[in-house]
Amino acid sequence: MKLSSIISDGMVLQRHAAVAIWGKTRSSEVVKVLFLEKTYETQADSDGNWTVTLNDLKPGGPYQMVIIDNEETTVIQDILIGDVWVLGGQSNMELPVRRTLDLFSAEMKTVNQPYIRQFAVPQLYDFHAPQQDLAGGNWIAANQTDVMSFSAAGYFFAKDLYETYGVPIGLIMTAVGGTPIEAWISEKTLREIGGYEERLAKLKDDSYVAGTKQNDEKRNHDWYEDLNERDLGLKKCWHQADYDTSEWQDFVVPNSWAGSELETVRGSVWFRTEINIPEEMLNCEAKLALGTIIDGDDTYVNGTLIGNTGYMYPPRRYQIPTGLLKPGKNSIAVRIISTQNIGGFLKDMPYKLIANGHELNLEGTWKYRIGAVTERLEPQTFFQYMPSGVYNKMISPLQNYKIKGVAWYQGESNTPQPKGYHKLFEALVNDWRKNWGMNELPFLYTQLANFDAWEKGQSNWAELREEQRKAQNINNTGMAVTIDIGEHNDLHPQDKKTLGQRLGLCAKKLAYDENIVYSGPIYQRMEKTDDAICLYFDHVGSGLTSRNGELKQFMICGEDGHFVPANAVISGHNVIVSCEQIKQPQQVRYAWSDNPAGANLYNKEGLPASPFTTE
């Protein structure tokens, strides 16, 4: 007897639906499924495949299911019946609860939500055809042991729904960091769109894929081996507690290497500081917060390695074991490895040591010395980013598992080419609805948060948000706006609680038929006068309002197409936009930048307006 890995202990089945239980056994074998005092019987086909359908399951649990064929009995324990949601997208949907503890550490210490479950689909790809079987995975519950591995956005979304409806919530997490939207769309649909044929054909060549991966692994291995062999800091043990740094150079932390002698360094640079620790911060586990470091780091306290991170995005939050700190002078050494980018310690993040409720600020002048200079490490090929691969291996195998809806957070990896994203998103929605055989499958999605993109120039993030706004024309979709809960210096903002609640509002409207205001104001149309433009909005709720003073982030242009800052005032359910210098105004933009700081148009229900252009 073989079952899909998702049909396993702890699973959540969709209530009030025709729920399939399927598997594989010997040819023509009779299979019985015993569940909730009912017996379902079927006969496997000639290939051994079988399916039974459970109807009209009422929420509750935990329950037990027994599956029997002639020679084998399988028992599945701890089954819940409730609502099942698929979580899709890239790293901001995948981001685990443990990466949000700067905000939610206290809340997570008391989590005990056994009726919220998550199944993480293994992150695999296939370029040949849509697959039928999952390669592994298991269900976990939102308890003290496992909640740290939950999608943070998913957990807070599920918590909101559970607290509202009191039914178990199952999450199927299918997100993969860095994936563009094309990776999640079927080959058939991409061929209909056009422009992907050459890549799709190349990816079917297994020898090309294997050879590329082998070459990447060798290049990475050789680069790090060369770096480590040449690094003076490793040879001379610059991490040691009492190493003399009197001949080293000064560097103010946090800061970028840009503008210093380190700007062009690719390789390793060592940084050290000394701190005096009082008695009240000793004899306990401590935490070292080192903001975010570009690219990788090895971090030592008093000569002991306490943590390392291989790439630039994760915030550095390292635990210091009890007994490692001592009264008086202590040393911190950080070996920064710059592979591709200008290195540095990102600003506007916490740099401190925390213990026993006390904090020591680590900002200020540190000492540094170059360990080794190498060539830039060429980036590797991430095949999980390639067209259709994760759709085939992570979405297609879920088609028999009945769900309530989808929550999606993706788009960052499509910002280099934002134009046409809304068409790709519509193609994805249609693909997934076909996969589950549900034409009206509720599809909730997150508009990109505010972020100061490193690549300056055109506002690609604003353009992609506009594409996402356009996607609301797709039936039964809801968009959560997040330009007020991002972090200008972090691609992965930690406030996934507000996001989960906003996605929850969308779910309550689209999937639970609640008569609620679930969206902030959405630009609908405009009317021009000789000296102003009047804007009309959907989702006004009980009225428009501005937060923290007059409306900000509105711009206007005349016939020359050059946008300038504008005056904007609320008039009933409209916004009137003007500028004294512009007669015959033509177009308006709102919050049109990567990081639209201060954008403050909301409805009175507290939901932010989506950025937009009238163009």
Side-chain angles (χ1 to χ4, degrees):
M1 176 70 69
K2 183 181 178 183
L3 301 172
S4 171
S5 56
I6 202 169
I7 301 176
S8 56
D9 290 350
M11 68 178 173
V12 182
L13 300 178
Q14 180 58 45
R15 61 172 171 154
H16 305 318
V19 172
I21 303 294
W22 72 98
K24 193 177 182 74
T25 184
R26 289 162 293 280
S27 174
S28 303
E29 187 75 74
V30 173
V31 177
K32 293 180 180 180
V33 176
L34 284 60
F35 188 58
L36 293 178
E37 300 181 349
K38 292 184 179 179
T39 300
Y40 304 82
E41 185 172 313
T42 189
Q43 185 174 25
D45 64 18
S46 57
D47 294 323
N49 298 306
W50 60 269
T51 302
V52 302
T53 302
L54 317 179
N55 288 302
D56 196 30
L57 301 178
K58 294 177 174 55
Y63 302 121
Q64 176 181 280
M65 178 182 291
V66 180
I67 303 174
I68 304 169
D69 66 14
N70 191 42
E71 297 182 7
E72 199 171 346
T73 297
T74 300
V75 180
I76 304 174
Q77 308 279 6
D78 193 25
I79 299 168
L80 300 179
I81 299 169
D83 290 331
V84 182
W85 288 85
V86 168
L87 308 176
Q90 56 182 106
S91 54
N92 266 308
M93 182 59 85
E94 183 187 1
L95 192 81
V97 166
R98 63 177 171 269
R99 288 272 296 273
T100 66
L101 296 183
D102 286 354
L103 292 182
F104 305 117
S105 178
E107 183 173 346
M108 289 304 123
K109 287 177 181 177
T110 60
V111 167
N112 182 25
Q113 299 275 13
Y115 292 99
I116 296 175
R117 307 280 175 85
Q118 176 179 281
F119 181 93
V121 175
Q123 296 184 348
L124 300 169
Y125 52 82
D126 188 287
F127 298 116
H128 294 287
Q131 301 299 297
Q132 303 302 312
D133 297 319
L134 290 174
N138 61 284
W139 289 92
I140 58 176
N143 53 37
Q144 283 294 295
T145 303
D146 291 327
V147 72
M148 294 298 169
S149 299
F150 268 64
S151 156
Y155 168 74
F156 287 114
F157 169 70
K159 180 174 182 283
D160 184 63
L161 295 181
Y162 179 73
E163 290 177 349
T164 301
Y165 300 109
V167 301
I169 302 293
L171 304 171
I172 303 175
M173 213 259 285
T174 60
V176 179
T179 44
I181 194 169
E182 299 93 321
W184 299 99
I185 299 174
S186 72
E187 178 178 342
K188 178 178 181 294
T189 296
L190 288 179
R191 288 187 179 277
E192 291 170 357
I193 293 170
Y196 299 91
E197 294 80 5
E198 185 176 337
R199 271 194 292 169
L200 287 167
K202 193 174 186 179
L203 292 165
K204 293 184 189 300
D205 182 351
D206 292 339
S207 62
Y208 158 72
V209 174
T212 302
K213 289 169 67 175
Q214 186 175 13
N215 290 338
D216 283 353
E217 289 169 7
K218 184 178 187 306
R219 183 173 66 248
N220 271 25
H221 175 270
D222 291 350
W223 191 90
Y224 279 100
E225 186 174 63
D226 175 62
L227 174 70
N228 294 339
E229 285 177 356
R230 294 165 57 184
D231 192 331
L232 286 175
L234 294 179
K235 292 178 181 177
K236 297 187 176 182
C237 300
W238 290 352
H239 64 281
Q240 284 184 342
D242 296 320
Y243 193 86
D244 180 10
T245 61
S246 58
E247 301 296 319
W248 290 26
Q249 302 298 308
D250 290 345
F251 188 91
V252 176
V253 173
N255 232 319
S256 170
W257 295 359
S260 76
E261 68 162 335
L262 301 177
E263 180 170 344
T264 60
V265 171
R266 301 298 175 267
S268 65
V269 181
W270 291 74
F271 292 80
R272 287 182 60 103
T273 191
E274 292 182 348
I275 52 175
N276 285 301
I277 297 181
E279 290 282 353
E280 59 264 27
M281 296 182 70
L282 299 175
N283 301 316
C284 64
E285 190 176 78
K287 183 168 79 171
L288 182 65
L290 285 179
T292 294
I293 293 172
I294 304 173
D295 291 303
D297 73 286
D298 299 320
T299 296
Y300 303 81
V301 170
N302 291 334
T304 298
L305 181 70
I306 62 164
N308 53 18
T309 304
Y311 63 112
M312 64 189 293
Y313 292 119
R316 277 32 173 205
R317 307 292 185 266
Y318 296 139
Q319 298 298 319
I320 304 174
T322 302
L324 183 57
L325 298 177
K326 58 188 180 180
K329 186 177 76 171
N330 292 256
S331 70
I332 300 173
V334 181
R335 180 197 187 211
I336 294 183
I337 301 170
S338 174
T339 55
Q340 298 159 9
N341 303 289
I342 297 174
F345 300 84
L346 282 187
K347 294 182 178 180
D348 299 329
M349 288 191 165
Y351 291 85
K352 56 190 177 183
L353 190 146
I354 307 155
N356 265 348
H358 300 275
E359 295 183 357
L360 284 179
N361 183 15
L362 300 179
E363 295 184 0
T365 301
W366 289 41
K367 293 289 188 177
Y368 81 88
R369 186 174 177 185
I370 296 171
V373 177
T374 68
E375 296 296 319
R376 176 178 183 268
L377 174 61
E378 291 301 314
Q380 69 183 89
T381 304
F382 293 98
F383 282 100
Q384 63 267 40
Y385 299 174
M386 299 300 174
S388 297
V390 289
Y391 173 87
N392 287 340
K393 195 67 174 178
M394 296 179 67
I395 299 302
S396 176
L398 299 172
Q399 62 187 270
N400 292 327
Y401 204 86
K402 189 66 71 174
I403 64 174
K404 183 76 170 178
V406 173
W408 173 260
Y409 191 162
Q410 192 277 334
E412 297 91 340
S413 289
N414 287 90
T415 53
Q417 295 179 307
K419 188 174 179 59
Y421 179 89
H422 76 282
K423 294 180 180 177
L424 289 171
F425 182 66
E426 183 172 15
L428 177 139
V429 171
N430 290 335
D431 258 358
W432 287 30
R433 285 175 172 171
K434 288 176 187 172
N435 192 61
W436 273 280
M438 300 171 69
N439 293 331
E440 297 294 319
L441 181 69
F443 224 99
L444 326 174
Y445 66 100
T446 303
Q447 191 183 55
L448 291 187
N450 50 306
F451 174 64
D452 267 332
W454 291 299
E455 298 295 332
K456 297 301 181 184
Q458 288 187 316
S459 292
N460 284 12
W461 283 59
E463 291 181 23
L464 196 126
R465 291 189 197 106
E466 178 71 356
E467 293 282 323
Q468 291 175 316
R469 185 183 70 84
K470 292 177 183 177
Q472 290 189 102
N473 293 330
I474 307 167
N475 69 304
N476 218 32
T477 59
M479 181 178 74
V481 176
T482 62
I483 57 165
D484 58 339
I485 57 173
E487 298 172 32
H488 76 91
N489 58 354
D490 195 341
L491 186 66
H492 305 106
Q494 291 196 34
D495 186 6
K496 296 298 191 278
K497 184 174 185 176
T498 302
L499 169 61
Q501 292 167 344
R502 289 179 183 172
L503 288 170
L505 287 174
C506 293
K508 290 168 189 176
K509 176 67 175 180
L510 299 178
Y512 298 92
D513 297 321
E514 299 274 0
N515 184 22
I516 60 170
V517 176
Y518 68 98
S519 170
I522 304 292
Y523 167 72
Q524 183 185 29
R525 62 185 179 90
M526 69 172 176
E527 288 182 359
K528 299 178 187 177
T529 65
D530 288 343
D531 58 359
I533 292 178
C534 179
L535 303 173
Y536 292 76
F537 296 87
D538 288 329
H539 304 287
V540 170
S542 55
L544 299 176
T545 187
S546 65
R547 284 191 175 178
N548 302 319
E550 298 178 351
L551 288 175
K552 303 179 183 69
Q553 286 284 349
F554 279 88
M555 302 188 78
I556 197 167
C557 76
E559 293 180 349
D560 63 357
H562 176 64
F563 282 88
V564 297
N567 299 313
V569 294
I570 294 169
S571 176
H573 286 183
N574 307 109
V575 174
I576 309 299
V577 186
S578 62
C579 178
E580 286 186 7
Q581 290 76 34
I582 293 182
K583 307 303 177 185
Q584 303 297 322
Q586 299 297 308
Q587 307 288 349
V588 170
R589 288 174 174 174
Y590 170 66
W592 194 262
S593 67
D594 295 336
N595 178 39
N600 62 344
L601 177 62
Y602 286 72
N603 58 27
K604 290 181 179 178
E605 283 70 20
L607 297 172
S610 168
F612 66 89
T613 176
T614 62
E615 297 163 276

